[in-house]
Amino acid sequence: MIYLDNSATTKPKKEVLETFIKASETYFGNPASLHRLGNDAENLLESARRQIAQILQMEQVVFTSGGTEANNLAILGTARAYAHRGRHIISSVTEHASVMKCLDRLEDDGFEITRLPVDKNGAIDLNHLKDSLRSDTILVTLMHVNNETGAVNPVSEIKEILKGTRTFLHTDAVQGTGKIPLDPESMPDLLTVSAHKLHGMKGSGVLAFNDIQPEAVMLGGGQEFGYRSGTVSVPHAAALAKALRLAQPNAECAQWNKKLREYFSRFDDVRIISPGSAATHILSISMKGVKGEILVSALQEESIIVSTSSACSSKNTEMSHVIKAMGVPASYQTGVIRLSFGADTTEQDIIAFQNAFQKVHAIIKGV
């Protein structure tokens, strides 16, 4: 199988698995326990926390079960903790479901949400963001790299716009971490990371933040400094630290992205959805008048694994909210598939995809 669905999940690196197994076997104690095994586990946990904080250039790191929980803590926790300052939040119409659902919940609770539109490239208008800011705006939550199209938000510029205000910036960096570095001088106030998007373990993530105290959304024994109760998985923490240390952008992504764009331009019924300015490890395209599920299934028959626009909603028959927001023509809205590259992707994989797509396209067109 040729795997080109790395934005859905990545295969854990061997070194990450080794770290996870060793930590599971040797540091299995509860880090909250007072005995030696607990102390050993706590020392490893805090070592992982320090490493992650240093890599992300953030002060506080809270371990979570993944990106969704981290986004919940960031958004619900910040809104509830700082509601006394105001009840207005700004986001965009193309955020991940774990952000959008939190905003819907807050709206039900009386918060006012401004959802910025995007242009045909999936980009927000920074002037619109400026104009939307109010004295009671407590949070702006905007993702770094869009999970469906690879569209990139200029986090540094957004942070600059918020300078001098009392508004916090949260960035869902799940798709960009380890691939597109953020400016350490203009980091957001809260940052979401998920391990399984960068060749780490599923069920592991962090919310990292500076100079802010979100309210806990999971209550219990008060672990993770009271921000996230529940026994912390030390093996997951150590494996995430290892995955971040090993994470490096695949230098060939830009070359493959360019090559595939040129390849798809040969087909008069194929439209490239990802903008030219998008992150190069994600490329979404659509075939006119064809359902994405048909393309995914047909390519799988040729041993090529891709997905429809987003794995989180690929089994949902509703139209992608991102594709709608970008104004993609109706005849191309249902045929979107996403190719996404990882550390294990090779030039041979790209060639194999092209050969398979050529065959599938001919079959569908009846040529």
Side-chain angles (χ1 to χ4, degrees):
M1 286 286 183
I2 304 298
Y3 185 73
L4 297 176
D5 195 20
N6 289 277
S7 287
T9 195
T10 55
K11 180 180 179 180
K13 290 185 177 179
K14 180 181 178 181
E15 300 92 328
V16 173
L17 285 170
E18 290 173 348
T19 294
F20 182 82
I21 292 170
K22 181 179 179 180
S24 297
E25 292 177 340
T26 308
Y27 299 92
F28 59 86
N30 188 326
S33 297
L34 296 178
H35 50 64
R36 181 173 58 82
L37 288 177
N39 292 336
D40 290 345
E42 183 184 24
N43 289 337
L44 181 59
L45 176 67
E46 295 311 313
S47 175
R49 195 190 310 277
R50 288 191 298 272
Q51 291 173 37
I52 293 170
Q54 182 177 16
I55 292 169
L56 298 179
Q57 295 292 291
M58 301 292 280
E59 295 173 3
Q60 181 72 62
V61 168
V62 172
F63 291 103
T64 69
S65 62
T68 290
E69 186 190 336
N71 281 342
N72 274 253
L73 175 57
I75 297 168
L76 298 178
T78 299
R80 293 167 180 170
Y82 293 90
H84 61 283
R85 289 189 187 177
R87 300 174 71 83
H88 179 233
I89 299 171
I90 300 174
S91 188
S92 82
V93 296
T94 55
E95 297 299 308
H96 188 269
S98 61
V99 170
M100 297 178 69
K101 295 293 185 181
C102 286
L103 297 176
D104 290 345
R105 173 62 59 84
L106 289 172
E107 201 165 36
D108 290 341
D109 292 342
F111 286 80
E112 186 176 351
I113 312 298
T114 296
R115 298 172 177 85
L116 302 175
V118 298
D119 60 20
K120 64 180 181 180
N121 293 319
I124 63 167
D125 184 334
L126 294 183
N127 288 320
H128 194 176
L129 171 61
K130 290 180 185 177
D131 293 341
S132 299
L133 284 170
R134 307 184 330 204
S135 60
D136 63 339
T137 305
I138 56 172
L139 179 68
V140 171
T141 175
L142 293 166
M143 62 171 39
H144 183 204
V145 176
N146 186 271
N147 54 300
E148 297 192 28
T149 67
V152 180
N153 275 321
V155 175
S156 295
E157 294 178 49
I158 295 169
K159 183 66 175 178
E160 184 65 25
I161 289 171
L162 299 182
K163 187 177 291 184
T165 72
R166 301 178 75 193
T167 304
F168 296 113
L169 174 61
H170 165 243
T171 297
D172 176 350
V174 164
Q175 292 291 347
T177 302
K179 304 172 184 73
I180 302 179
L182 290 168
D183 182 357
E185 300 300 320
S186 302
M187 294 297 288
D189 302 290
L190 305 110
L191 186 74
T192 293
V193 175
S194 179
H196 79 102
K197 304 293 188 177
L198 44 89
H199 299 279
M201 307 296 293
K202 294 177 182 65
S204 177
V206 298
L207 178 66
F209 48 93
N210 297 323
D211 300 322
I212 183 172
Q213 292 182 306
E215 183 179 301
V217 296
M218 287 185 66
L219 304 178
Q223 292 90 340
E224 289 300 276
F225 315 102
Y227 292 114
R228 198 273 186 184
S229 291
T231 300
V232 185
S233 173
V234 175
H236 277 97
L240 176 50
K242 174 61 74 71
L244 279 169
R245 292 201 304 272
L246 295 175
Q248 289 185 347
N250 191 325
E252 295 184 273
C253 283
Q255 176 185 337
W256 297 331
N257 191 292
K258 180 180 179 182
K259 181 177 181 179
L260 284 168
R261 286 175 181 271
E262 292 172 351
Y263 170 76
F264 287 126
S265 68
R266 305 174 193 171
F267 302 91
D268 58 9
D269 59 348
V270 173
R271 182 185 183 95
I272 297 174
I273 305 298
S274 295
S277 58
T280 57
H281 64 283
I282 298 175
L283 181 61
S284 287
I285 61 102
S286 179
M287 185 172 172
K288 187 176 183 179
V290 178
K291 289 187 176 181
E293 293 87 345
I294 299 297
L295 287 174
V296 169
S297 179
L299 286 167
Q300 181 172 261
E301 291 299 313
E302 301 300 322
S303 298
I304 305 292
I305 303 299
V306 298
S307 71
T308 51
S309 52
S310 170
C312 295
S313 59
S314 61
K315 294 182 180 179
N316 189 334
T317 57
E318 293 183 6
M319 181 64 56
S320 160
H321 66 288
V322 176
I323 302 304
K324 280 184 180 179
M326 292 173 64
V328 174
S331 57
Y332 287 97
Q333 288 184 358
T334 62
V336 180
I337 62 171
R338 180 188 64 187
L339 288 69
S340 47
F341 317 130
D344 300 326
T345 306
T346 66
E347 177 74 19
Q348 289 69 36
D349 293 341
I350 305 302
I351 295 171
F353 168 81
Q354 290 176 318
N355 292 335
F357 187 84
Q358 189 85 28
K359 180 178 178 179
V360 167
H361 183 272
I363 293 172
I364 291 175
K365 297 293 289 185
V367 178

